Amino acid sequence: MGFIYALWIIPILAILIFLHELGHFVMARRSGVRVEEFGIGLPPRIWGHRHGDTIYSINAIPLGGFVRVHGEDGKSFSDDSMQTKSMGQRARFLAAGSFMNFVTAFVLVGALVAFQGRTDQNVYVTEVMPGSPAAEAGWLAGDRFVSVAGQEIDNDEQVRQITAGRAGSAIVVTLERSGQLIDTTITPRVDPPAGEGRTGIRLGSSVLADIHVREVPAQSAGDAAGFQTDDLIRSVDGVPTTDYMRYATYLAQRAGEVVTFGIERNGQLITLDGRVPESLPEETEPMGMSLARDIRFERVPLLEIPGETVRTSVTWTVRLVEGIIILITGQASFGDVAGPIGMGQLTSEIISESAMPLWVTLVTLSIILSLNLGMLNLLPLPALDGGRLMFVAIEFLRRGKRVAPEKEGLVHFVGIAILLSLMLVIAFRDVDRIFSGRSFLQ
């Protein structure tokens, strides 16, 4: 099934690339520019059809798409040439592809909010850096955030924003540990070390879900405790199992001990006593069972859908920008970058691990990829839309004096060569990752 899941990346990328190029196409037409070719993929061409003045083509290299407009080579200054258009018209043409990707992501977020609803999540400390403010405050991996500086925590972005806004000042943070509330005081750092954040932790979040048993292997700890298929796990030692991370973290903290599970079986509440293994299994949950998560979705009232859509879209965009900054500043490994092959592997892993319905997972992937495609194309790098926009900006700063088309063309040609070489390297790394059995999610 993993290979089949990986194939979902093909229609997703094809649609997103088509919409990106459609943005350029429409804006060129609106500006009175003749479109010579609308291509999906990069040459050589394997199929083409002329309609009017435009060739619509499918090309052999599946690494993007293009809209070739009259005059972009700088050799024509006719009325339907890009060269005769104003700086504003050219800038709108170059930005239109990314704009379409942002609009697509926004519409898909709205569809998720309207048809599926929203989820709530708990936010946890997943790692504490030695010598950090969090370590000094006594925070531990598995602690759940209840409130920070008096504000109840609903998502991990809140934690980042509050600690950044209160850097240098002592704040009270309430955590939950093993079902007990703990008040701690911490002073977020003004100038933290690279990659450690204000408090020196890694954050993790887990959506609220009902946890039920899918399979109980013979001779597992779950089998010894008396678990059965389809049991709903409601609590452990009286601590509600509101999400999987809360459940797994509590058991990990009780390794080697006997705990009491609150179980719902056939509509009846019962209890089971089971010993958590001292050596926790790596491939399954702590009791050695196979579990499934039924995500709890909350319907969004009709009048709240627009606001929730904007809030969610802004949150995802901010996270994307942060991720790009981390990558550019070298805080993330180059090995985390993926090309089409790697995205296929990542798609397969996400679908296999996701507790969401398949359509929700695919729409969510499409949102993330659409935002990535839009944002990356705006980077001021040669050959990308952002690199071409940079030359329009230079023209503006020079009060209308343009860079010679042949010089700009040479810069973009070198950029394309570098970009294709980089994508080739990434493709080799993606193939090596697959054959070596490495995962994006581990």
Side-chain angles (χ1 to χ4, degrees):
M1 289 297 292
F3 174 74
I4 300 299
Y5 288 155
L7 294 179
W8 277 110
I9 195 63
I10 297 175
I12 290 175
L13 283 179
I15 293 171
L16 295 180
I17 291 171
F18 171 79
L19 292 172
H20 180 94
E21 300 306 333
L22 182 63
H24 291 308
F25 178 85
V26 171
M27 192 54 65
R29 288 292 183 86
R30 288 178 60 86
S31 301
V33 177
R34 173 155 52 95
V35 178
E36 297 180 344
E37 185 172 359
F38 185 119
I40 300 299
L42 300 180
R45 185 188 303 164
I46 59 177
W47 177 87
H49 173 73
R50 178 179 291 277
H51 181 75
D53 294 329
T54 305
I55 297 174
Y56 300 89
S57 67
I58 297 177
N59 299 272
I61 304 176
L63 298 179
F66 63 93
V67 169
R68 179 161 53 86
V69 296
H70 186 56
E72 67 179 354
D73 56 2
K75 296 180 181 180
S76 173
F77 289 86
S78 60
D79 289 343
D80 59 355
S81 168
M82 181 62 71
Q83 297 298 327
T84 61
K85 304 307 174 183
S86 67
M87 284 184 285
Q89 288 174 313
R90 284 180 278 129
R92 287 193 292 272
F93 165 74
L94 293 169
S98 291
F99 176 77
M100 279 293 289
N101 287 132
F102 295 139
V103 170
T104 299
F106 184 82
V107 170
L108 291 177
V109 169
L112 277 183
V113 171
F115 293 105
Q116 187 65 35
R118 60 190 166 201
T119 60
D120 290 324
Q121 59 181 297
N122 286 325
V123 183
Y124 296 88
V125 178
T126 60
E127 183 180 356
V128 179
M129 309 300 175
S132 66
E136 295 175 1
W139 293 7
L140 299 176
D143 288 347
R144 182 178 72 89
F145 285 94
V146 177
S147 66
V148 178
Q151 298 186 39
E152 292 187 6
I153 298 303
D154 297 318
N155 57 75
D156 51 7
E157 190 61 32
Q158 280 183 289
V159 178
R160 295 187 182 93
Q161 291 177 352
I162 297 172
T163 53
R166 302 291 292 272
S169 302
I171 56 176
V172 175
V173 177
T174 301
L175 304 170
E176 182 197 40
R177 181 183 302 160
S178 300
Q180 302 297 317
L181 296 183
I182 303 171
D183 288 329
T184 66
T185 301
I186 192 170
T187 302
R189 295 175 289 199
V190 175
D191 187 21
E196 288 198 11
R198 303 287 181 181
T199 58
I201 63 171
R202 296 273 189 270
L203 285 172
S205 60
S206 184
V207 295
L208 302 190
D210 292 323
I211 303 171
H212 71 262
V213 178
R214 186 160 51 189
E215 183 180 357
V216 185
Q219 299 182 345
S220 65
D223 183 41
F227 278 97
Q228 297 179 11
T229 302
D230 293 330
D231 281 350
L232 276 171
I233 305 176
R234 294 300 190 187
S235 65
V236 184
D237 286 342
V239 178
T241 52
T242 54
D243 64 90
Y244 178 76
M245 189 175 291
R246 192 179 196 184
Y247 163 81
T249 299
Y250 186 90
L251 292 185
Q253 294 170 345
R254 294 291 183 271
E257 300 179 14
V258 174
V259 298
T260 299
F261 297 90
I263 303 298
E264 182 179 333
R265 178 181 296 168
N266 299 323
Q268 301 295 318
L269 294 178
I270 63 173
T271 60
L272 299 175
D273 292 331
R275 182 176 296 278
V276 183
E278 292 188 12
S279 179
L280 298 178
E282 296 181 1
E283 301 298 326
T284 62
E285 61 86 42
M287 300 298 286
M289 300 182 292
S290 174
L291 302 181
R293 288 171 288 169
D294 297 326
I295 305 298
R296 300 175 189 169
F297 290 97
E298 176 188 351
R299 288 293 178 185
V300 180
L302 183 62
L303 294 179
E304 295 181 18
I305 289 176
E308 184 69 19
T309 299
V310 171
R311 186 191 67 79
T312 304
S313 299
V314 169
T315 298
W316 285 16
T317 303
V318 168
R319 290 182 180 178
L320 169 61
V321 173
E322 291 174 345
I324 293 176
I325 292 173
I326 289 173
L327 183 62
I328 293 175
T329 56
Q331 298 179 44
S333 168
F334 180 71
D336 295 332
V337 179
I341 298 173
M343 284 189 282
Q345 179 191 358
L346 180 59
T347 298
S348 173
E349 293 179 1
I350 289 176
I351 293 176
S352 298
E353 295 294 328
S354 176
M356 303 282 190
L358 178 61
W359 78 269
V360 174
T361 303
L362 293 176
V363 170
T364 302
L365 279 170
S366 299
I367 293 168
I368 296 171
L369 290 175
S370 191
L371 288 173
N372 270 276
L373 185 59
M375 192 68 67
L376 292 175
N377 267 281
L378 289 179
L379 293 178
L381 301 176
L384 298 179
D385 294 333
R388 298 179 188 276
L389 277 168
M390 184 173 62
F391 279 92
V392 177
I394 292 173
E395 179 184 343
F396 175 79
L397 294 175
R398 297 173 68 182
R399 298 183 179 181
K401 184 178 180 180
R402 301 178 65 170
V403 176
E406 60 272 12
K407 293 182 179 179
E408 180 180 349
L410 178 61
V411 171
H412 294 314
F413 177 79
V414 173
I416 290 175
I418 294 174
L419 184 62
L420 289 176
S421 299
L422 179 61
M423 296 194 75
L424 186 62
V425 172
I426 292 174
F428 276 114
R429 293 179 65 93
D430 288 343
V431 172
D432 177 69
R433 184 188 300 108
I434 293 173
F435 280 99
S436 63
R438 298 195 305 274
S439 168
F440 276 102
L441 303 183
Q442 294 178 352

